[in-house]
Amino acid sequence: MLLWCNCFMIFVDLYFIFLLCFCSYMVSKMSSKMVGSNNLAHARRMVQQLRVEASIERIKVSKASADLMRYCGENAKYDPLLTGIPASENPFKDKKPCIIL
Amino acid sequence: MCDQTFLAITFGPCDNCSQNKPLMNIYLKNEPINYCSLCVELMACQGLAKGETTNTLKAESESLKAKLEEERAKLHDVELHQVAEKIDALGQFVMKTRRTLKGHGNKVLCMDWCRDKRRIVSSSQDGKVIVWDAYTTNKEHAVTMPCTWVMACAYAPSGCAVACGGLDNKCSVYPLSLDKNENLAAKKKSVAMHTNYLSSCSFTNSDMQILTSSGDGTCALWDVESGQLLQSFHGHSADVLSLDLAPSETGNTFVSGGCDKKANVWDMRSGQNVQSFETHESDINNVKYYPSGDAFATGSDDATCRLYDLRADREVAIYSKDSIIFGASSVDFSLSGRLLFAGYNDYTINVWDVLKGTRVAILFGHENRVSTVRVSPDGTAFCSGSWDNTLRVSAYLRSSGESELRNILYNTV
């Protein structure tokens, strides 16, 4: 009777293992099929994207650098972190303790 | 890893088969078309019949990439630091921590300044979002989020609300009230829904729209009032870690950087990726626009920060040193764009001269990695948040020799 129970348990385990293998096989089959057509759609999207990027207007680095430098120069005097602010005007100045002489 | 699930954002009649299905918004020849996913697959197979195999498409994309590189290289006539040789070098910088904001129980992950130049909102790993007054170091509001790792927080332009999100995959907007006793968590509004963590969020020029980026590889634009998705941006192949909106008033572009080492520039109205830059060697942690809007800087795990110019369509400067081996987690420009503040994982903040490419200062003080650095809206100070649970506000004070000595004596930091 006990022997029969053990055999039954082993049979059930084997059945589950078989089911698991079968399912993972099916899933991998499905995903590989999807990947196939996904690759094509993905490649097409990439080509579209590259076509868009290739068609934009570009300027020379020298001109872009000159513009960046000009912007810095124009705004440098308004930049408190660059020129510093007098301590009396800065809201972040340290709180000084009162000295009672 | 990101989920490559293609978010179906609209539901309606397909242009091809006229059935009511979830539609995929794609672009063909710059024309938006709304096909259901079945018709997209059929279209892809039809392309196959016309002799377009994956191989021919691959060959075409390779040739386009080569052509792009060639076009970009043609305009590369000079380096930025060569052009910048004729301007004066910056002098010595004496920047000190003026305020230390203590109160978070765990790592500070993100912070943002309010437009009134004195309030700061910060979020941390323990789920707390705190609104501080930087002048007095008082805490004005505190909210506890239901999730940990609140990686994104943003202040609304009006100063009346804050948005935050993280591992809960959502972005929540909390309206701030003057009544201190009011329970802020009760008024919470969930705006964004992603399929992975929220890495960054930002209000557009008004309180009404919010832009979010997520670990699922997409960015999205939402309407705050209705919670509706207005536009989604697909193009990254891995987590998007950071985004920044173009500074101009009429601007409708933004830049995003992610774990696929790419920085993409997007048009907000069409959802189209207009430019893409891939020169980093590792994840891009943070992206920030140059104040004029013509360029942007990125900080990355490869220990470099790089400046990309949008009109020249290429990288124009690299900020790196052999002695810096830790990744840059956060970058921000000063008001004029001359200085680049970068927070690194080696507990320091390096200040770079943007034009010359040299380092002008190193700021110490944090006891753990610096996770976020932001310059205040009027440029008077910058705040850095770190994994040591504190935020530090630093400024450059110019004072005469005598009062400088007094400052040093009474400096409590």
Side-chain angles (χ1 to χ4, degrees):
Chain A
M1 174 68 176
L2 215 63
L3 199 65
W4 184 82
C5 284
N6 281 345
C7 291
F8 180 68
M9 288 313 292
I10 292 168
F11 174 73
V12 165
D13 288 335
L14 284 173
Y15 172 73
F16 276 120
I17 291 168
F18 171 74
L19 208 65
L20 207 68
C21 292
F22 182 72
C23 286
S24 58
Y25 174 70
M26 285 310 288
V27 165
S28 61
K29 276 279 262 182
M30 275 199 312
S31 54
S32 67
K33 211 196 310 175
M34 273 171 45
V35 160
S37 54
N38 256 1
N39 265 342
L40 194 65
H42 179 69
R44 274 177 150 226
R45 274 200 293 275
M46 275 245 302
V47 169
Q48 283 302 114
Q49 181 59 33
L50 286 169
R51 280 198 197 130
V52 166
E53 283 179 30
S55 60
I56 61 175
E57 294 268 317
R58 281 177 207 89
I59 63 172
K60 286 203 163 152
V61 174
S62 49
K63 174 150 191 333
S65 314
D67 286 342
L68 287 175
M69 272 174 47
R70 201 193 55 223
Y71 185 88
C72 277
E74 279 168 7
N75 291 292
K77 48 185 178 295
Y78 304 119
D79 189 347
L81 285 168
L82 201 61
T83 58
I85 328 175
S88 49
E89 288 170 19
N90 191 307
F92 288 108
K93 63 175 179 275
D94 303 310
K95 298 178 271 206
K96 295 197 193 47
C98 285
I99 311 171
I100 300 176
L101 294 167
Chain B
M1 282 304 295
C2 78
D3 310 318
Q4 269 291 16
T5 44
F6 213 90
L7 286 170
I9 55 171
T10 49
F11 189 88
C14 167
D15 286 350
N16 201 25
C17 59
S18 313
Q19 290 167 22
N20 270 349
K21 281 186 172 181
L23 301 176
M24 285 168 71
N25 301 42
I26 57 174
Y27 285 84
L28 275 191
K29 297 191 186 8
N30 289 341
E31 290 288 314
I33 60 170
N34 296 328
Y35 278 9
C36 64
S37 51
L38 184 63
C39 294
V40 170
E41 294 299 340
L42 286 174
M43 203 169 56
C45 293
Q46 275 167 6
L48 201 58
K50 288 183 201 137
E52 258 185 358
T53 61
T54 325
N55 286 337
T56 58
L57 282 174
K58 265 208 187 94
E60 196 181 344
S61 76
E62 291 301 314
S63 73
L64 275 172
K65 271 192 206 153
K67 184 173 156 222
L68 209 65
E69 279 311 309
E70 205 188 291
E71 291 283 320
R72 282 175 173 171
K74 259 194 254 171
L75 297 163
H76 186 202
D77 47 352
V78 76
E79 295 279 348
L80 175 62
H81 60 84
Q82 288 167 337
V83 176
E85 259 157 34
K86 48 188 166 172
I87 48 176
D88 300 328
L90 299 168
Q92 270 284 22
F93 274 91
V94 182
M95 263 187 257
K96 292 211 281 282
T97 304
R98 302 293 162 183
R99 298 282 186 275
T100 305
L101 305 176
K102 292 192 194 161
H104 275 294
N106 215 322
K107 311 179 175 67
V108 175
L109 299 174
C110 184
M111 57 129 328
D112 192 17
W113 286 88
C114 179
R115 283 198 191 175
D116 69 357
K117 304 162 250 179
R118 71 185 278 175
R119 288 191 176 74
I120 293 176
V121 62
S122 63
S123 66
S124 78
Q125 189 204 328
D126 61 359
K128 282 230 168 27
V129 175
I130 301 181
V131 178
W132 314 79
D133 179 341
Y135 291 359
T136 60
T137 74
N138 290 337
K139 300 190 217 354
E140 297 201 338
H141 298 96
V143 184
T144 307
M145 293 273 289
C147 68
T148 56
W149 285 91
V150 188
M151 289 176 262
C153 63
Y155 226 117
S158 64
C160 297
V162 293
C164 46
L167 283 186
D168 57 352
N169 300 359
K170 303 199 277 232
C171 185
S172 316
V173 177
Y174 293 88
L176 298 173
S177 62
L178 290 169
D179 183 3
K180 296 280 160 70
N181 295 330
E182 199 165 353
N183 184 12
L184 285 180
K187 291 244 186 110
K188 166 176 133 162
K189 193 188 298 203
S190 261
V191 175
M193 293 286 280
H194 278 280
T195 53
N196 210 332
Y197 65 91
L198 197 87
S199 52
S200 178
C201 66
S202 173
F203 282 89
T204 59
N205 279 330
S206 74
D207 274 16
M208 294 291 97
Q209 293 181 349
I210 196 165
L211 194 59
T212 59
S213 70
S214 165
D216 63 10
T218 65
C219 304
L221 181 67
W222 309 83
D223 177 78
V224 174
E225 200 54 51
S226 60
Q228 199 193 3
L229 174 67
L230 299 171
Q231 184 64 261
S232 78
F233 307 91
H234 297 260
H236 278 285
S237 48
D239 305 16
V240 184
L241 292 181
S242 171
L243 58 81
D244 190 34
L245 279 144
S248 77
E249 286 297 318
T250 53
N252 50 14
T253 61
F254 73 95
V255 62
S256 67
C259 292
D260 54 357
K261 312 176 197 163
K262 285 206 286 208
N264 290 343
V265 181
W266 308 84
D267 179 315
M268 281 206 284
R269 282 190 293 231
S270 64
Q272 176 82 332
N273 176 4
V274 291
Q275 280 172 282
S276 182
F277 302 89
E278 191 171 357
T279 58
H280 268 292
E281 291 152 23
S282 184
D283 304 350
I284 296 180
N285 290 323
N286 204 230
V287 292
K288 223 18 99 61
Y289 260 101
Y290 190 79
S292 70
D294 289 331
F296 67 92
T298 57
S300 157
D301 274 345
D302 62 4
T304 65
C305 299
R306 292 174 201 234
L307 185 71
Y308 296 90
D309 190 292
L310 292 173
R311 293 178 309 157
D313 192 34
R314 60 173 299 118
E315 171 192 301
V316 291
I318 306 183
Y319 308 103
S320 68
K321 251 184 152 56
D322 289 339
S323 53
I324 303 176
I325 52 171
F326 284 84
S329 59
S330 180
V331 294
D332 202 1
F333 284 101
S334 68
L335 207 66
S336 65
R338 185 69 195 271
L339 298 174
L340 180 70
F341 295 90
Y344 287 80
N345 293 341
D346 60 0
Y347 314 176
T348 64
I349 299 172
N350 288 346
V351 187
W352 299 90
D353 180 336
V354 168
L355 301 175
K356 287 191 185 285
T358 56
R359 179 171 63 183
V360 292
I362 319 177
L363 301 167
F364 300 95
H366 278 293
E367 290 150 22
N368 207 324
R369 58 164 86 174
V370 179
S371 54
T372 171
V373 174
R374 294 290 281 265
V375 173
S376 72
D378 59 348
T380 48
F382 71 91
C383 181
S384 54
S386 154
W387 282 18
D388 65 1
N389 309 358
T390 65
L391 293 118
R392 281 166 196 257
V393 181
S394 310
Y396 177 26
L397 263 55
R398 193 174 22 100
S399 47
S400 68
E402 190 188 299
S403 50
E404 182 65 34
L405 187 61
R406 232 187 303 144
N407 274 348
I408 291 168
L409 286 176
Y410 292 136
N411 197 343
T412 51
V413 172

